[in-house]
Amino acid sequence: MATVTKEGSNLELRDLGNTGLKVSCVGFGASPLGRVFGPVSEEEAIASVRQAFRLGINFFDTSPYYGATLSETMLGKALEALNAPRDQFIVSTKCGRYVDGFDFTAHRVTKSIDESLARLGLDYVDILHCHDIEFGDLDQIVEETIPALQKLKEEGKIRFVGVSGLPLEVFSYVIDRVAPGSVDVILSYCHYGINDDTLEGMLPYLKSKGVGVISASPLAMGLLTDNGPPEWHPASVELKSACKAAAAHCREKGKNISKLAMQYSLSNKDISTVLVGMNSVKQVEENVAAVVELATLGRREEEILQEVGAILQPVKNQTWPSGIQKS
């Protein structure tokens, strides 16, 4: 099996909190490999991961929840096909959220990592996140789940502990109640983009705690795209309408709102990596191109961003109920 080697890449590597990990500023969100947004062949999955790695993406994120474990299985096959040294890529998966519901007990999360490692074909994952903790008992996360993950860390099955969720307040609730250093990373989604930048207010706190920051879904689960969000998107009619108008404005100016949204999210260096769902070589190449172009953004792009900001201002930082599958 041929080893995939990295091309000369301009992708920036950023420190992930106090972990010592250096992650590519854009990460590969593997939920689409679980066919949650449409069909993806095994060949496509392998090719997209291969191209991502070749172009400098070294961070891959999945969960047993995505596609009822299919995302982990597909990512595992793709990583095996890379035939790359294990220290050349960083993998995060999750525990606590499954197709049949939530279970943050020590017994279940301990069993969960063994199942995930088998599907991924790995001896360890770099990060294990408690998945969407707002649906659990936060005191149980503090008193039972995080200690169980610390034990897995001692056993060498995971390197670092993370928590994910939509409401920002869940992060400080947990971090303030566990021993310092017990939470290494947080994964926030839909809170750092051109329509919602509320994560920014929390960055100094997270930095003071040495916690690495992963921001996912810079396109706000499809809101900031030419095609618009999927039918199930929980955003208000007003927010959907404003985003549609912003996308149209970008088209009139010869720009793509998705690329601008990506570049806006990537511009904050206090966010270690921006996770984007990918399932094709084309998507990978477009995302990497958006990152590389970030260094050459000019006054015109800045003006368009300001104009888009003005369109979105009436609905700025308007959120929605959590619990919806994210991209």
Side-chain angles (χ1 to χ4, degrees):
M1 188 185 296
T3 301
V4 177
T5 54
K6 296 182 182 180
E7 294 180 359
S9 172
N10 293 320
L11 277 195
E12 179 188 2
L13 296 179
R14 297 179 182 174
D15 292 323
L16 185 62
N18 289 346
T19 64
L21 297 176
K22 289 187 175 294
V23 290
S24 50
C25 59
V26 63
F28 188 108
S31 66
L33 302 189
R35 299 174 186 157
V36 296
F37 302 107
V40 182
S41 69
E42 189 172 311
E43 291 73 24
E44 285 175 310
I46 290 172
S48 60
V49 169
R50 179 186 296 266
Q51 186 68 345
F53 183 76
R54 185 180 285 131
L55 294 178
I57 293 175
N58 72 349
F59 178 51
F60 301 85
D61 175 81
T62 183
S63 167
Y65 176 64
Y66 301 149
T69 73
L70 182 60
S71 172
E72 284 188 327
T73 300
M74 293 276 264
L75 180 60
K77 289 178 178 179
L79 292 173
E80 181 184 19
L82 281 184
N83 197 31
R86 179 63 184 88
D87 63 358
Q88 294 294 299
F89 56 88
I90 295 163
V91 177
S92 70
T93 191
K94 305 180 184 74
C95 64
R97 184 169 198 180
Y98 313 98
V99 171
D100 58 356
F102 294 90
D103 188 342
F104 291 102
T105 62
H107 172 76
R108 184 68 186 98
V109 300
T110 300
K111 183 182 175 192
S112 183
I113 187 58
D114 289 333
E115 295 166 348
S116 291
L117 290 174
R119 286 188 288 265
L120 290 163
L122 300 175
D123 295 326
Y124 66 90
V125 294
D126 298 277
I127 305 162
L128 182 62
H129 293 283
C130 298
H131 196 175
D132 289 345
I133 59 173
E134 68 267 28
F135 293 99
D137 177 340
L138 293 183
D139 291 326
Q140 181 189 36
I141 302 291
V142 168
E143 295 161 12
E144 182 177 355
T145 318
I146 299 295
L149 268 53
Q150 288 297 325
K151 190 174 178 188
L152 294 175
K153 196 174 179 180
E154 292 165 11
E155 293 172 1
K157 293 180 180 179
I158 70 175
R159 294 179 67 196
F160 301 103
V161 172
V163 289
S164 82
L166 181 64
L168 293 175
E169 60 269 18
V170 299
F171 299 127
S172 55
Y173 186 95
V174 170
I175 292 168
D176 287 344
R177 286 165 176 79
V178 296
S182 297
V183 173
D184 302 295
V185 185
I186 64 110
L187 195 167
S188 168
Y189 68 99
C190 293
H191 283 310
Y192 198 83
I194 52 178
N195 64 302
D196 184 330
D197 60 6
T198 47
L199 177 61
E200 187 165 25
M202 199 170 198
L203 294 177
Y205 163 82
L206 294 166
K207 196 170 189 177
S208 75
K209 300 289 186 179
V211 174
V213 180
I214 300 167
S215 180
S217 204
L219 308 186
M221 303 194 307
L223 280 175
L224 303 173
T225 61
D226 280 332
N227 292 333
E231 209 167 297
W232 49 256
H233 200 290
S236 70
V237 173
E238 293 79 13
L239 179 52
K240 288 178 181 177
S241 177
C243 289
K244 186 176 180 180
H249 181 78
C250 289
R251 283 196 302 276
E252 287 169 13
K253 299 286 186 175
K255 294 292 178 180
N256 179 277
I257 192 168
S258 297
K259 182 180 280 190
L260 282 174
M262 268 274 295
Q263 290 169 334
Y264 177 90
S265 297
L266 284 158
S267 63
N268 192 321
K269 302 289 183 83
D270 287 329
I271 293 171
S272 302
T273 185
V274 176
L275 268 180
V276 187
M278 308 186 210
N279 63 8
S280 70
V281 169
K282 182 173 181 284
Q283 285 180 353
V284 169
E285 290 173 345
E286 287 174 349
N287 288 325
V288 172
V291 181
V292 174
E293 287 173 23
L294 186 59
T296 59
L297 286 188
R299 183 178 295 175
R300 184 161 177 265
E301 285 81 6
E302 289 292 335
E303 287 174 355
I304 295 170
L305 266 176
Q306 287 176 5
E307 291 162 7
V308 167
I311 293 169
L312 296 175
Q313 187 57 44
V315 292
K316 181 83 170 179
N317 297 335
Q318 187 183 106
T319 190
W320 51 77
S322 55
I324 306 295
Q325 172 66 57
K326 47 194 177 291
S327 60

